[in-house]
Amino acid sequence: SVTQDFFSPEGSIITINGEDVQVFEYENEEAMENEASQVAPDGGSVGTSMMMWMDAPHFYKAGRVIVIYIGSDEQILTLLQSVMGTQFAGR
């Protein structure tokens, strides 16, 4: 499991091709959209929290789920886009 101070649900970490991807599932889409709206377009801040990511952040959302991938592996980015749609925030 994983927690982020800026997201209310406890998340899970899944590993794709050796890379960690954080998955946060909300009770409903409205709650997910409310928290997703706090993420800056470049992923550099969430609400009033400034982020210092170790690599490029990528935020995806679909249904009741937000996914965060911190990295630049093109295969993972392509897979996440095919499953989740275009990232809503990040670099």
Side-chain angles (χ1 to χ4, degrees), residues 34-88:
N34 183 49
E35 292 198 342
S37 72
Q38 301 298 309
V39 180
D42 69 354
S45 66
V46 181
T48 59
S49 300
M50 297 298 294
M51 302 295 116
M52 296 297 292
W53 302 113
M54 299 300 287
D55 202 337
H58 304 276
F59 290 78
Y60 298 86
K61 63 181 181 176
R64 301 179 301 132
V65 175
I66 293 177
V67 169
I68 304 173
Y69 168 56
I70 309 301
S72 53
D73 184 292
E74 287 298 325
Q75 287 183 319
I76 294 172
L77 293 170
T78 300
L79 176 64
L80 288 172
Q81 181 168 331
S82 71
V83 173
M84 302 291 295
T86 302
Q87 70 180 22
F88 73 92

Side-chain angles (χ1 to χ4, degrees), residues 3-63:
T3 58
Q4 292 288 358
D5 292 340
F6 46 83
F7 289 155
S8 56
E10 181 174 81
S12 299
I13 294 179
I14 61 172
T15 302
I16 303 172
N17 294 342
E19 298 273 339
D20 289 343
V21 176
Q22 301 175 32
V23 180
F24 299 88
E25 184 176 0
Y26 289 80
E27 289 186 25
N28 56 57
E29 193 170 340
E30 182 180 349
M32 181 276 295
E33 288 289 350
N34 183 49
E35 292 198 342
S37 72
Q38 301 298 309
V39 180
D42 69 354
S45 66
V46 181
T48 59
S49 300
M50 297 298 294
M51 302 295 116
M52 296 297 292
W53 302 113
M54 299 300 287
D55 202 337
H58 304 276
F59 290 78
Y60 298 86
K61 63 181 181 176

